Amino acid sequence: MAFTDEIPWDQPATMIDLEGRVPIIGTIRDCTLHYGLYKPHARDNARILLTQPIHREGRATRTWLLDPSEITELAERLTRETN
């Protein structure tokens, strides 16, 4: 099980873009849905800022930020759960 499976869909979150586009403020589910609409270049620059940190394997501390690979895990989870 990926650690992103423990993140509730209704947790408030903010999708940020390293290129400075307007952030998306909503829930994890909202951010994940928008991520699925992004073009590959935009996906590479997307990050999700969490309101509750989670454990990331291989790190001694918890994390507040999800990288594109972790957002992809969330997108795959959303697809599994909605189909």
Side-chain angles (χ1 to χ4, degrees):
M1 174 169 86
F3 73 91
T4 54
D5 288 346
E6 299 174 12
I7 301 172
W9 288 122
D10 62 347
Q11 180 184 141
T14 303
M15 173 85 76
I16 58 174
D17 182 305
L18 298 180
E19 293 184 344
R21 292 184 187 94
V22 176
I24 296 168
I25 301 170
T27 63
I28 287 289
R29 188 174 194 283
D30 297 335
C31 294
T32 302
L33 285 171
H34 278 88
Y35 180 79
L37 301 173
Y38 286 175
K39 293 180 181 181
H41 174 74
R43 286 182 183 188
D44 291 343
N45 289 299
R47 304 293 185 275
I48 293 180
L49 180 61
L50 303 170
T51 54
Q52 297 176 8
I54 60 171
H55 174 71
R56 178 182 280 156
E57 192 169 325
R59 289 186 57 156
T61 60
R62 299 186 316 160
T63 185
W64 293 89
L65 195 66
L66 297 181
D67 294 323
S69 62
E70 296 153 340
I71 303 169
T72 299
E73 288 177 9
L74 285 172
E76 291 167 356
R77 176 180 149 206
L78 183 61
T79 300
R80 281 192 318 268
E81 292 178 6
T82 57
N83 289 332

